[in-house]
Amino acid sequence: MSKKSGIFDETNKMEKLLPRQDEILKELDEKGHVLVQDLCEKLNVSSVTIRKDLNYLESLGLLFRNHGGASKQVRYAYEKNVGEKESINVEAKQDIAKAALSLIQENDCIILASGTTMHYLARMLVNFGPLTVLTSSLRVAIELCNNPNINIIQLGGEVRKSSTSIVGSISEGILKQFSCNKLFLGVDGIDPEFGISTSNAAEAHLNQIMMECADQTVILADSSKLNKKGFGKIAALDQVDYLITDKGICAEDKAGLEEVGVKVMTP
């Protein structure tokens, strides 16, 4: 039986790339991300040709395609334990949480979903109020207990130990009884075509219901989540009102989000 896997052809030898494809990989090594339009100009070929090259190089495992180009970074987000997440992009998450405070007003009824950025936001609400907060996160609820001016509604149901949050039909049933001003939501992926997503299907479904219960949806996500997909789709991008992210977002990604109606905020 002939073998064909990764960068090997049927004769078990390395695939020979065209000079143009070698040049694409060289650009990718230097910049970490390449755009179709830039490659067209540099290599003097059509966008159709470049897209075919990128698709071929992705099939060999040499890059990852994303909207408008390709990168060296994997497109798919995988589930991480909350303890692991707490050590990733800490400063950016704190800045994002601080920026989210500008969207919260006294006497608001808001939803805080799960995630490490929500933990930081909850800590920053210590002197805020009066406020009603509905949350699926056990850690968020505990943080908010330090503020006597915040009324806390903790969703009940099945506990996801990896995220210390609540999911399942019980929490979904409780959630449907409320209407809130804003939802503050953390995600694992933001993709122009797939939309916003998370790595857990049950959490994605709960997040969908959260969006239905809120007048506005505010995504809190650092720029590492851009052009990635999680397993469970939450919603299309045109259902999102705000994205608060860090200054690592590129101009092209920001323009694409604003084109579908997302207001992008950076601290």
Side-chain angles (χ1 to χ4, degrees), residues 19-207:
R20 181 182 66 246
Q21 294 164 347
D22 280 327
E23 189 64 29
I24 291 173
L25 293 177
K26 190 181 298 182
E27 282 284 299
L28 189 61
D29 284 337
E30 292 176 0
K31 299 178 180 178
H33 180 264
V34 290
L35 299 176
V36 171
Q37 183 177 351
D38 291 344
L39 292 173
C40 290
E41 295 174 0
K42 182 178 180 64
L43 300 174
N44 196 28
V45 293
S46 70
S47 60
V48 173
T49 297
I50 292 297
R51 288 191 178 93
K52 286 181 179 179
D53 285 340
L54 295 179
N55 289 337
Y56 175 66
L57 293 171
E58 182 178 48
S59 73
L60 299 180
L62 299 175
L63 52 75
F64 299 97
R65 289 282 281 115
N66 53 42
H67 185 69
S71 70
K72 298 181 70 174
Q73 187 179 27
V74 66
R75 295 173 61 194
Y76 297 96
Y78 299 96
E79 187 168 8
K80 297 183 180 72
N81 185 281
V82 67
E84 182 182 353
K85 288 183 176 180
E86 285 181 338
S87 64
I88 300 172
N89 297 329
V90 174
E91 186 175 347
K93 290 175 181 178
Q94 291 174 334
D95 289 342
I96 289 167
K98 187 175 181 179
L101 291 174
S102 66
L103 297 178
I104 302 175
Q105 299 178 347
E106 289 188 353
N107 298 308
D108 271 351
C109 296
I110 65 173
I111 303 173
L112 294 186
S114 62
T116 51
T117 309
M118 299 304 150
H119 301 166
Y120 292 125
L121 178 55
R123 290 171 192 169
M124 293 175 186
L125 289 172
V126 63
N127 295 315
F128 204 95
L131 193 68
T132 296
V133 177
L134 189 156
T135 185
S136 59
S137 170
L138 300 177
R139 290 193 176 190
V140 164
I142 291 170
E143 288 287 350
L144 295 177
C145 284
N146 295 317
N147 187 334
N149 295 317
I150 295 182
N151 179 36
I152 308 161
I153 300 173
Q154 171 69 65
L155 291 178
E158 179 184 352
V159 177
R160 283 189 64 219
K161 294 179 182 179
S162 63
S163 64
T164 61
S165 64
I166 308 299
V167 295
S169 59
I170 297 174
S171 57
E172 292 169 5
I174 296 170
L175 186 57
K176 290 176 181 178
Q177 300 177 44
F178 298 96
S179 176
C180 297
N181 302 103
K182 292 184 179 74
L183 161 64
F184 293 86
L185 180 64
V187 298
D188 292 327
I190 303 171
D191 182 83
E193 297 171 358
F194 193 63
I196 54 172
S197 56
T198 186
S199 52
N200 182 271
E203 189 168 311
H205 193 257
L206 180 65
N207 292 160

